[in-house]
Amino acid sequence: MALDWARRRVSQQFCLFPGPSPEWMVRHTLTPGDLRDLQVEPVKSSAAMEDYSILMNVSWRLRADASIRLLKATKICVTGKGDHQSYSCVRCNYTEAFQTQSRPSGGRWTFSYIGFPVEPSTLYFIGAHNIPNANMNEDPPSMSVNFTSAGCLDHIMKYKKKCIEAGSLWDPDITACKKNETTNQPPTRASVVIPVTGESEGAVVQLTPYFHTCGNDCIRRKGTVVLCPQTGRSILGGWLPLFLSALLVATWVLVVVIYLMWKHERTKKASFPTTTLLPLIKVLVVYPSEICFHHTVCYFTEFLQNHCRSEVILEEWQKKKIAEMGPVQWLTTQKKAVDKVIFLLSNDVSSSCDNTCGQREGSPHESSQDLFPLAFNLFCSDLRSQTPLDKYMVVYFRDADIKDEYSALSVCPKYHLMRDAAAFCTELRVKQPGSGGKRLTACFL
């Protein structure tokens, strides 16, 4: 066949423009059925023509039944009703008889024809029927559709010569807005001032151009009247003074708030001075073996921790380290690490202390070595080498005299607890000047 299996465009060679079909004159025993589908759409012509032409693409599908074997041609007629009336027909012949009801690849037989010219804003009636036609007084197997072409403002149709001559390519940017003020701006080629009433919003403004090709019948453009946006100058003119006044007030309030907050903080600091937590003072406490450990040493240790912010080191609490390092080495190490070395003295040796503190088998000092003489020898060593003795202090309870063998301790500051408690806590954090040179002979035991 001259028409391939798929959807094909029917060639002009097989589509003629005859008058009435000769098949009308013959009576047929059998005739083909009507078309299955008929569609129309505009397309741009691909031919090189001086006039930009829009053509009608008419496509149709055949009905898949046995009558397709009798089909010889399809006739299409187009009637146009617009500014000008038109009527034309075309007969598309099938060069061979159909052997199958559908295409070998599947689907119905589908064909198309492009050739009818399309004019803008025109109503077309497209009718098509198969040939041979139905006999006289029988229902004709035909199908028809309507198609209305777009106007000259359509994106395809506006390039047609007739539309260009009517001004289709003239596309002004129309802005129609209403100003609530008077203006002395004179009209120009691009703008015009028209007095309007209060009900003019939403009205339509129409521009009528004039071209020599269309005269007063050119395509007209329209715009809708809206309220004009305020210009930047108008906004500044109305709001700038108010904005500056508000900014000035806000700045003044901010300055006052900052001043009041500063004054409040200053008053608060003056009324409630900031309390600075003093660092811990590391203290080594040494005491003779005859002092009651629980009544005197433990009480003094608690006083140092709770009232003088001191970290207290006692030989009773570090027996394991003393056993590992040896008494002399342990004392030397602690003397270098601590801030103060306190010699604790007391005459509070009585039968009650003996009974309470454990002057019995298994008491704290029963199995421990008395480190007080060793600590005193270290003190004498510093005294002979002229080393500053600011870290040594003497504390005693009640009235206690320094024994003759420890008389060298008299060069150290002495404090009687609890009478000198405040002065003692203060002195813990103040370095004392060296006191070397006093009673050197007292250290030679």
Side-chain angles (χ1 to χ4, degrees), residues 295-310:
H295 282 186
T296 306
V297 178
C298 292
Y299 176 81
F300 179 62
T301 301
E302 182 181 358
F303 172 77
L304 290 173
Q305 293 173 339
N306 297 337
H307 299 279
C308 301
R309 281 191 56 79
S310 301

Side-chain angles (χ1 to χ4, degrees), residues 296 300 342-347 394-402 414-420:
T296 306
F300 179 62
I342 298 178
F343 291 96
L344 180 61
L345 304 177
S346 176
N347 286 337
V394 175
V395 175
Y396 57 93
F397 290 89
R398 300 185 181 181
D399 293 329
D401 296 329
I402 299 177
K414 295 181 293 293
Y415 297 94
H416 180 197
L417 296 184
M418 295 297 293
R419 183 183 62 192
D420 302 330

